[in-house]
Amino acid sequence: RTPKKVSKEKINSLNLITDELAKYLGNCMPAMAGEVCLVYNPEMHETNTTDFIKGQPKNTIIGNFAFTTNLSKHNESQVMLHMPTEIFYPIMDILLGGTGKPYEVNRSLTDIEIAICRYVMLKFQEALKDAWNSIIKVDFAFDKIETSSKNVELKAVKEEKLVMSFDVNIKDVKSKIRVAYSSRFVDKLIRKQETQKAAEAISAEQ
């Protein structure tokens, strides 16, 4: 769980965030679904935008998030959260009063399904915020949902990504949730965290 291009000084912070995100996702998903939902085996690796999208089915779910810190605001999407449809549909079924049965659907999401998906992404937004706040004050703002991997590939800026992935079990379904951050985004946040720690240390000595 050690990305090669990330300095050793930053690995501890990133490992902490990955573990915290697994914990918060593991809390919010059962709360939404009213079912036992396991989020485990957190992993971290580097890739690029093209490879992150490659291999995903034509119809997929990717939530885009922008972020703000107490020092800066970024309006462009810097975070992509991929939730496979095989995870989304059981959650949606439970939210609509069903038993959480899986769906095998090879089509685009309907308007109602997209509205429910937005609700789920807003819950994930809080998990992202709580995980990152374990090291630095960050706020995430949900931007939009993409449901076509082809559209994502055409629109995406080709850049290096840091990906945190988690195995998820819900009902009889097992899949992965993956969160891809702009490597520039991660570098800026970790630098801010290091600067804040240094400033706090100096202040404590005075």
Side-chain angles (χ1 to χ4, degrees):
R1 223 170 72 176
T2 306
K4 295 178 181 178
K5 297 179 183 178
V6 179
S7 67
K8 291 182 179 179
E9 292 75 15
K10 298 173 183 175
I11 289 299
N12 288 340
S13 293
L14 292 172
N15 281 336
L16 174 61
I17 293 165
T18 306
D19 291 337
E20 288 292 290
L21 185 53
K23 180 180 76 175
Y24 286 113
L25 287 173
N27 290 337
C28 81
M29 292 184 70
M32 281 190 292
E35 292 280 342
V36 174
C37 178
L38 301 178
V39 179
Y40 60 100
N41 194 28
E43 295 181 346
M44 184 168 52
H45 67 277
E46 292 164 311
T47 186
N48 57 54
T49 308
T50 301
D51 288 342
F52 177 72
I53 298 167
K54 190 185 299 181
Q56 292 186 19
K58 177 182 176 182
N59 299 310
T60 190
I61 300 172
I62 293 179
N64 291 286
F65 300 82
F67 75 96
T68 62
T69 70
N70 56 345
L71 299 177
S72 61
K73 180 176 181 178
H74 300 260
N75 292 321
E76 72 272 21
S77 294
Q78 295 282 353
V79 183
M80 303 166 71
L81 190 152
H82 173 233
M83 175 175 57
T85 54
E86 59 262 31
I87 292 178
F88 169 66
Y89 280 119
I91 293 175
M92 181 191 73
D93 188 63
I94 292 169
L95 290 172
L96 293 176
T99 59
K101 64 180 180 181
Y103 289 74
E104 292 186 10
V105 180
N106 186 23
R107 58 165 174 75
S108 300
L109 271 66
T110 66
D111 290 344
I112 292 175
E113 289 168 345
I114 289 175
I116 295 171
C117 191
R118 287 178 61 87
Y119 168 80
V120 174
M121 287 295 173
L122 288 172
K123 294 295 185 182
F124 288 163
Q125 173 182 303
E126 291 303 309
L128 285 167
K129 177 182 176 181
D130 289 340
W132 276 90
N133 281 353
S134 63
I135 68 162
I136 186 170
K137 186 172 177 57
V138 178
D139 203 3
F140 289 84
F142 172 68
D143 181 15
K144 60 185 175 181
I145 291 172
E146 295 282 2
T147 59
S148 165
S149 58
K150 188 65 177 178
N151 286 346
V152 175
E153 187 173 3
L154 290 172
K155 295 177 184 178
V157 177
K158 293 183 179 179
E159 64 176 356
E160 292 299 310
K161 296 287 187 183
L162 180 72
V163 179
M164 297 176 183
S165 63
F166 311 88
D167 289 330
V168 176
N169 284 14
I170 179 169
K171 301 289 282 189
D172 297 323
V173 175
K174 180 178 179 180
S175 190
K176 281 184 178 288
I177 284 178
R178 298 185 300 157
V179 185
Y181 305 89
S182 161
S183 291
R184 293 182 296 109
F185 158 83
V186 171
D187 190 60
K188 287 178 181 178
L189 286 189
I190 299 299
R191 284 176 185 270
K192 286 184 174 66
Q193 183 242 359
E194 291 172 346
T195 300
Q196 287 181 3
K197 285 179 66 176
E200 289 170 0
I202 292 172
S203 178
E205 291 176 357
Q206 293 176 347

